[in-house]
Each structure stands twice: as structure tokens, then as C-alpha cells.
């Protein structure tokens, strides 16, 4: 078995990544897979190596304070369009009600959330669940005024979970955004699907029922491929969200016969090859300057968008 060798032509960066052979095991029962096959462990290790500079700890922050971050995250998720959530959050923040010593009332939050939000094309939309979220935010705000949040990533996460309207995922989201923590995981449908394809989640597991167990498995996977959990989370979420057709095809292919191990499949979306044939037929160590060229070009295009 030969190691996998990936080159980055960018002279300003460390330009070589060595990965174990595709057939070797990164975790019990999970092979590394090929770095140029979407959603294998080697693929994620390579993507983090390429993109990690784009993911500083401050990248994910939505608010300047923990209270602001909490309000922003509580308003998000559950299939709510991000632009609607952010517009609702900015309205609340800009009204100046997020003061640590003076909790806003439920009615204040409801008035702000119930008012129409105008999209760029002039269409008026309303934030869903305004009454329920107003009640949550009033109680959360009161809790912030009554006690100081604990220090430490996990202690803070546990404290946030004790507040109304905040579950493990939202609490982890707040902690990751505010502290840049690598000790929590934000498990949603995109990370779940990535875990199934890479092999560190099982089909029988459900985020709602097995959050703590699955979080540990995600963190162990990040450690095994030697990447920061917080950076891997952002890159996984982005890639899985941008390639829904490929994700569905791979899930259907791998799990229709109860197979868990990821298959080596050529990339189909997002990463364009200039010389696909010669790359895949080369034996031994894989020289992939052309692939990395495409990755770098694709990455630049994504972040320029």
C-alpha cells in the first residue's frame, strides 16, 4: 500500500500533505479512502488542509457578546431561512434591548419579531414562531441578568441547555461561535449525512436521541484525521450543503445494500478536474497538482461569491 501525496501549488503555504494509504484504517472499521473521492476521511482531511486558513475562530461569530450570540442562534435553525433569522436578530440588537442588566420583556421581543421583514426585492415576510421565540428570549435574557454564565466550553454548554428553548445543538452552536471551541459538535442533517458516508455514524443513530454519543464520535473522527473539530464542522456543512444531488446519490448507493464503508467515487460537483483520466489511472503515490489547482480555483470562486 502506498501513501497518498497531495500537493498545493500555493508557495505561501505548506505545499505537501501526506496521508496514509486509502486501504488503511483511520478508526476501527473505517478506511481512510482516497483523498480525491468525495466524503471519505481522506477527502475531509485534505479539504481542511486546503481551507483551514479561511476558518479563523472569529469567522462564526454573529454577536459581540455571549447574550447577542445566544439570541442570534436561538432565532436560527429548524429550517428557518438564514437571511430571515439574521434580519430578526439585527432588528433586536439594533433596538438596543440586549442589555445584560436590563432584561427586555416578552412583549418587547414579540413586537420586534412580529413586525414584517422586507427582503431585498421588497417582499414582506414574517418571522415564524414569533410568540414562542419571544417567550424563550425573555426568559433567557432574564437568566443572563440573574447569573453569570460559567467559564469553560462544556460547563457553558451545559448551562445554556438548562435555559428554555435551547437544546444540545443550539447550545453547542452558541459555544462554538462565541469561543471557537473544538470540544463541541453542531450536529445537523448535513453533519449527520457526512458521518454516515465517512462511516463514523450509524444509520440507527438519531441526533435527537443520541446527541452526546454522536458528538463524541464526531470529535473522535476529527482527532483521528488530525484536524480541528470546529473547522471540520464548517467545511463539512458547506460541502454537504452545496452538493445535495451527490450526497443523495452516495447515500442511496451505500446504504441500499447495508454497506457502511465509504466507496471511492470521483468527485462530481464543486471540484472540477482538468485532467481526470490520467490522475485516476496513475499507480502508486498520486501526484495531484492538477486537482489542487482545481480545488484552489474552486475555493476562490466559492469565497468570492
Amino acid at each position: 500500500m502506498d501513501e497518498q501525496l497531495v500537493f498545493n501549488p500555493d508557495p505561501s503555504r505548506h505545499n505537501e500533505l501526506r496521508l496514509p494509504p486509502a486501504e488503511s484504517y483511520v478508526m476501527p472499521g473505517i478506511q481512510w479512502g482516497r483523498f480525491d473521492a468525495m466524503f471519505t476521511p481522506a477527502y475531509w482531511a485534505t479539504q481542511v488542509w486546503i481551507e483551514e486558513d479561511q476558518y479563523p475562530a472569529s469567522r462564526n461569530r454573529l454577536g459581540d457578546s455571549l447574550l447577542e450570540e445566544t439570541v442570534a442562534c436561538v432565532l436560527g435553525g429548524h429550517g428557518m431561512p438564514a437571511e430571515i433569522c439574521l434580519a430578526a436578530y439585527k432588528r433586536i440588537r439594533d433596538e438596543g434591548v440586549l442589555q445584560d442588566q436590563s432584561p427586555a420583556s416578552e412583549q418587547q421581543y414579540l413586537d420586534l419579531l412580529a413586525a414584517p421583514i422586507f427582503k431585498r426585492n421588497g417582499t414582506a415576510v414574517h418571522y415564524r414562531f414569533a410568540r414562542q421565540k419571544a417567550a424563550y428570549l425573555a426568559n433567557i435574557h432574564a437568566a443572563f441578568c440573574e447569573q453569570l454564565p460559567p467559564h469553560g466550553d462544556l460547563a457553558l454548554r451545559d448551562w445554556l441547555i438548562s435555559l428554555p428553548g435551547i437544546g444540545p445543538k443550539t447550545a453547542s452552536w452558541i459555544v462554538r461561535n462565541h469561543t471557537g471551541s473544538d470540544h463541541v459538535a453542531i450536529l445537523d442533517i448535513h453533519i449527520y449525512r457526512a458521518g454516515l458516508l465517512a462511516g463514523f455514524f450509524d444509520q440507527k443513530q438519531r441526533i435527537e436521541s443520541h446527541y452526546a454519543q454522536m458528538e463524541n464520535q464526531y470529535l473522535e473522527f476529527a482527532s483521528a484525521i488530525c484536524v480541528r473539530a470546529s473547522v471540520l464542522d464548517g467545511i463539512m456543512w458547506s460541502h454537504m450543503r452545496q452538493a445535495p444531488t451527490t450526497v443523495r446519490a452516495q447515500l442511496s448507493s451505500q446504504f441500499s445494500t447495508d454497506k457502511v464503508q465509504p466507496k471511492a467515487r470521483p468527485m462530481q460537483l464543486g471540484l472540477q478536474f482538468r485532467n481526470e483520466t490520467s490522475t485516476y489511472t496513475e499507480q502508486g503515490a498520486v501526484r495531484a497538482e492538477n486537482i489542487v489547482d482545481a480545488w484552489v480555483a474552486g475555493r476562490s470562486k466559492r469565497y468570492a461569491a
Side-chain angles (χ1 to χ4, degrees):
M1 295 190 293
D2 296 307
E3 68 175 1
Q4 302 182 76
L5 196 57
V6 186
F7 293 95
N8 190 330
D10 184 348
S12 65
R13 299 195 50 195
H14 182 62
N15 64 0
E16 182 180 294
L17 174 67
R18 293 179 181 275
L19 292 172
E23 300 80 8
S24 62
Y25 287 85
V26 61
M27 296 173 69
I30 303 176
Q31 291 178 319
W32 273 95
R34 290 176 55 155
F35 77 91
D36 56 350
M38 286 186 93
F39 313 140
T40 64
Y43 170 85
W44 292 121
T46 303
Q47 295 304 313
V48 173
W49 176 66
I50 291 172
E51 298 189 26
E52 60 186 347
D53 289 347
Q54 303 292 332
Y55 285 81
S58 59
R59 172 192 171 103
N60 299 307
R61 278 197 177 190
L62 299 170
D64 292 331
S65 68
L66 179 59
L67 176 58
E68 288 187 0
E69 195 68 51
T70 301
V71 169
C73 293
V74 168
L75 290 173
H78 304 288
M80 195 83 68
E83 61 271 23
I84 304 301
C85 301
L86 289 174
Y89 160 67
K90 289 178 180 177
R91 174 182 288 166
I92 290 173
R93 183 196 61 189
D94 294 346
E95 283 294 319
V97 301
L98 299 179
Q99 304 299 319
D100 288 343
Q101 283 75 40
S102 179
S105 68
E106 181 176 337
Q107 187 61 50
Q108 284 178 285
Y109 279 115
L110 179 58
D111 290 343
L112 292 168
L113 290 176
I117 294 171
F118 292 94
K119 300 171 72 173
R120 291 182 178 178
N121 62 6
T123 305
V125 296
H126 288 83
Y127 181 87
R128 290 187 296 166
F129 315 121
R131 190 172 297 280
Q132 179 189 51
K133 291 297 180 75
Y136 287 157
L137 294 181
N139 283 302
I140 290 169
H141 198 162
F144 270 80
C145 294
E146 291 170 0
Q147 53 185 309
L148 291 175
H151 295 291
D153 299 351
L154 299 182
L156 176 58
R157 198 262 295 273
D158 291 344
W159 181 76
L160 289 166
I161 291 175
S162 73
L163 302 181
I166 300 180
K169 174 192 165 187
T170 302
S172 298
W173 188 15
I174 297 165
V175 171
R176 193 282 307 270
N177 285 8
H178 190 67
T179 70
S181 175
D182 290 313
H183 304 296
V184 298
I186 308 166
L187 303 181
D188 66 2
I189 187 61
H190 300 298
I191 304 302
Y192 175 69
R193 288 170 175 167
L196 288 178
L197 292 172
F200 60 88
F201 287 158
D202 187 276
Q203 277 184 290
K204 296 178 182 178
Q205 292 178 306
R206 293 290 177 269
I207 294 174
E208 300 78 10
S209 306
H210 307 101
Y211 198 97
Q213 179 189 42
M214 296 174 72
E215 179 179 66
N216 285 335
Q217 291 169 220
Y218 169 85
L219 296 176
E220 288 174 1
F221 177 75
S223 176
I225 63 173
C226 301
V227 302
R228 291 187 58 193
S230 59
V231 176
L232 177 64
D233 171 88
I235 292 173
M236 266 188 175
W237 186 87
S238 176
H239 285 221
M240 300 300 287
R241 186 168 176 262
Q242 291 180 48
T245 303
T246 301
V247 171
R248 282 195 295 270
Q250 290 211 18
L251 285 170
S252 175
S253 172
Q254 291 192 32
F255 296 105
S256 60
T257 56
D258 295 326
K259 292 181 179 178
V260 178
Q261 290 302 309
K263 296 177 179 178
R265 289 175 172 273
M267 289 178 255
Q268 299 173 26
L269 292 176
L271 308 175
Q272 301 297 319
F273 292 92
R274 291 206 305 262
N275 187 6
E276 181 176 302
T277 303
S278 63
T279 298
Y280 286 128
T281 56
E282 186 175 354
Q283 299 298 313
V286 180
R287 296 187 60 82
E289 293 93 334
N290 57 330
I291 298 175
V292 175
D293 277 348
W295 276 337
V296 171
R299 178 188 60 178
S300 301
K301 184 176 181 181
R302 279 202 300 278
Y303 287 104

XYZ file of all heavy atoms in Angstrom, residues 4-19 35 46 49-50 52-53 286-290 292-293 295-296:
269
model
N -0.671 8.444 0.286
C -1.251 9.402 -0.653
C -0.543 10.738 -0.458
O -0.339 11.188 0.673
C -2.741 9.564 -0.395
C -3.501 8.249 -0.500
C -4.992 8.432 -0.289
O -5.691 8.913 -1.163
N -5.455 8.044 0.886
N -0.193 11.349 -1.559
C 0.566 12.590 -1.523
C -0.204 13.664 -2.285
O -0.535 13.487 -3.450
C 1.926 12.359 -2.167
C 3.025 13.386 -1.913
C 3.276 13.549 -0.428
C 4.295 12.932 -2.621
N -0.513 14.757 -1.582
C -1.262 15.850 -2.200
C -0.375 17.089 -2.217
O 0.257 17.417 -1.202
C -2.556 16.153 -1.421
C -3.388 17.191 -2.159
C -3.362 14.879 -1.212
N -0.322 17.761 -3.354
C 0.493 18.960 -3.483
C -0.388 20.184 -3.599
O -1.424 20.164 -4.262
C 1.383 18.878 -4.725
C 2.433 17.822 -4.633
C 2.218 16.556 -5.164
C 3.641 18.085 -4.010
C 3.174 15.573 -5.078
C 4.617 17.103 -3.917
C 4.376 15.844 -4.454
N 0.057 21.252 -2.965
C -0.609 22.541 -3.112
C 0.360 23.484 -3.809
O 1.458 23.720 -3.293
C -0.990 23.099 -1.732
C -1.885 24.309 -1.842
O -1.807 25.058 -2.810
N -2.735 24.510 -0.841
N 0.007 24.023 -4.955
C 0.948 24.873 -5.701
C 1.108 26.261 -5.104
O 1.958 27.017 -5.569
C 0.295 24.950 -7.082
C -1.163 24.793 -6.815
C -1.269 23.840 -5.664
N 0.338 26.604 -4.093
C 0.451 27.928 -3.489
C 1.763 28.010 -2.714
O 1.926 27.353 -1.682
C -0.742 28.159 -2.556
C -0.750 29.563 -1.967
O 0.277 30.269 -2.100
O -1.761 29.947 -1.380
N 2.754 28.811 -3.163
C 4.072 28.842 -2.498
C 4.042 29.472 -1.112
O 4.993 29.339 -0.343
C 4.914 29.690 -3.467
C 3.919 30.554 -4.175
C 2.683 29.721 -4.307
N 2.976 30.182 -0.789
C 2.901 30.832 0.522
C 2.464 29.860 1.605
O 2.444 30.208 2.785
C 1.919 32.011 0.466
O 0.597 31.555 0.227
N 2.112 28.647 1.230
C 1.617 27.686 2.201
C 2.472 26.439 2.199
O 3.218 26.162 1.285
C 0.179 27.316 1.878
C -0.786 28.464 1.905
C -2.177 27.932 1.927
N -2.323 26.926 2.955
C -3.351 26.089 3.017
N -4.292 26.158 2.135
N -3.424 25.183 3.975
N 2.302 25.663 3.274
C 2.894 24.336 3.304
C 2.315 23.570 2.122
O 1.111 23.454 1.982
C 2.552 23.643 4.616
C 3.164 22.292 4.756
N 4.526 22.116 4.774
C 2.611 21.079 4.867
C 4.780 20.821 4.905
N 3.646 20.173 4.971
N 3.149 23.100 1.215
C 2.638 22.660 -0.077
C 2.544 21.160 -0.268
O 2.417 20.690 -1.385
C 3.498 23.256 -1.197
C 4.925 22.735 -1.141
O 5.270 21.943 -0.277
N 5.736 23.192 -2.072
N 2.630 20.407 0.793
C 2.564 18.958 0.641
C 1.818 18.346 1.822
O 2.075 18.670 2.971
C 3.975 18.383 0.564
C 4.022 16.886 0.355
C 5.465 16.400 0.283
O 6.159 16.767 -0.686
O 5.896 15.688 1.208
N 0.891 17.487 1.517
C 0.142 16.758 2.549
C 0.314 15.272 2.308
O 0.011 14.765 1.221
C -1.348 17.122 2.486
C -2.264 16.321 3.417
C -1.961 16.641 4.882
C -3.731 16.590 3.103
N 0.785 14.570 3.315
C 0.953 13.129 3.214
C -0.153 12.454 4.022
O -0.350 12.767 5.198
C 2.322 12.699 3.760
C 3.480 13.193 2.909
C 4.815 12.766 3.482
N 5.926 13.253 2.677
C 6.414 12.644 1.608
N 5.894 11.468 1.244
N 7.402 13.161 0.921
N -0.846 11.556 3.379
C -1.930 10.829 4.030
C -1.643 9.336 3.968
O -0.990 8.862 3.036
C -3.258 11.123 3.328
C -3.803 12.546 3.471
C -5.009 12.736 2.555
C -4.183 12.839 4.910
N -8.197 10.444 -1.198
C -8.364 11.874 -0.932
C -9.168 12.559 -2.023
O -9.753 13.612 -1.809
C -7.006 12.565 -0.778
C -6.297 12.826 -2.082
C -6.482 14.027 -2.755
C -5.468 11.874 -2.651
C -5.836 14.271 -3.959
C -4.830 12.103 -3.856
C -5.009 13.308 -4.517
N -8.049 16.411 3.627
C -7.471 17.244 2.570
C -8.190 18.591 2.480
O -7.554 19.644 2.335
C -7.561 16.513 1.214
O -6.903 15.256 1.329
C -6.909 17.326 0.111
N -7.122 20.834 5.224
C -5.754 21.292 4.951
C -5.774 22.455 3.960
O -5.047 23.425 4.098
C -4.946 20.121 4.405
C -3.553 20.454 3.981
C -2.526 20.856 4.783
C -3.041 20.399 2.648
N -1.401 21.055 4.026
C -1.682 20.782 2.716
C -3.577 20.043 1.421
C -0.863 20.834 1.594
C -2.773 20.086 0.300
C -1.434 20.479 0.388
N -6.625 22.365 2.966
C -6.696 23.410 1.943
C -7.400 24.663 2.444
O -6.965 25.785 2.176
C -7.430 22.865 0.692
C -6.584 21.802 -0.003
C -7.756 23.997 -0.284
C -7.304 21.079 -1.124
N -8.440 25.585 5.788
C -8.489 25.975 7.192
C -8.133 27.443 7.428
O -8.616 28.047 8.391
C -7.582 25.083 8.038
C -6.118 25.113 7.647
C -5.316 24.095 8.435
O -5.844 23.567 9.432
O -4.178 23.805 8.026
N -7.319 28.022 6.564
C -6.974 29.436 6.737
C -8.192 30.344 6.580
O -8.182 31.491 7.013
C -5.905 29.851 5.725
C -4.554 29.234 6.046
O -4.399 28.697 7.157
O -3.655 29.272 5.179
N 0.002 9.383 -5.596
C -0.799 10.144 -6.544
C -0.312 11.582 -6.574
O -0.357 12.287 -5.588
C -2.292 10.119 -6.126
C -3.116 10.922 -7.124
C -2.778 8.686 -6.045
N 0.191 12.002 -7.745
C 0.582 13.396 -7.911
C -0.646 14.159 -8.387
O -1.247 13.825 -9.384
C 1.723 13.533 -8.914
C 3.023 12.854 -8.453
C 4.153 13.170 -9.406
N 4.401 14.605 -9.494
C 5.134 15.273 -8.611
N 5.660 14.654 -7.586
N 5.320 16.564 -8.768
N -1.016 15.190 -7.676
C -2.323 15.789 -7.920
C -2.266 17.300 -8.069
O -3.160 18.002 -7.659
C -3.254 15.422 -6.782
N -1.204 17.788 -8.691
C -1.141 19.238 -8.866
C -2.364 19.772 -9.608
O -2.898 20.824 -9.277
C 0.111 19.634 -9.645
C 1.401 19.385 -8.906
C 1.977 18.025 -9.247
O 1.203 17.123 -9.615
O 3.189 17.885 -9.153
N -2.812 19.016 -10.616
C -3.952 19.491 -11.389
C -5.214 19.529 -10.537
O -6.043 20.424 -10.650
C -4.174 18.609 -12.621
C -4.372 17.166 -12.251
O -3.821 16.722 -11.248
N -5.161 16.458 -13.018
N -5.322 19.925 -7.213
C -5.209 21.013 -6.256
C -5.435 22.346 -6.935
O -6.050 23.252 -6.385
C -3.846 20.971 -5.551
C -3.691 22.174 -4.634
C -3.713 19.684 -4.761
N -4.957 22.466 -8.167
C -5.255 23.676 -8.935
C -6.756 23.909 -8.971
O -7.247 25.010 -8.756
C -4.748 23.530 -10.379
C -3.263 23.859 -10.475
O -2.736 24.406 -9.498
O -2.667 23.563 -11.512
N -8.995 22.654 -6.937
C -9.506 22.935 -5.606
C -9.325 24.407 -5.252
O -10.224 25.064 -4.762
C -8.755 22.096 -4.570
C -9.309 20.724 -4.419
C -10.577 20.305 -4.722
C -8.619 19.582 -3.936
N -10.699 18.981 -4.456
C -9.529 18.507 -3.970
C -7.325 19.377 -3.471
C -9.174 17.234 -3.547
C -6.978 18.120 -3.049
C -7.891 17.057 -3.088
N -8.098 24.879 -5.514
C -7.808 26.267 -5.167
C -8.702 27.209 -5.967
O -9.268 28.157 -5.440
C -6.326 26.585 -5.424
C -6.070 28.073 -5.265
C -5.444 25.783 -4.467
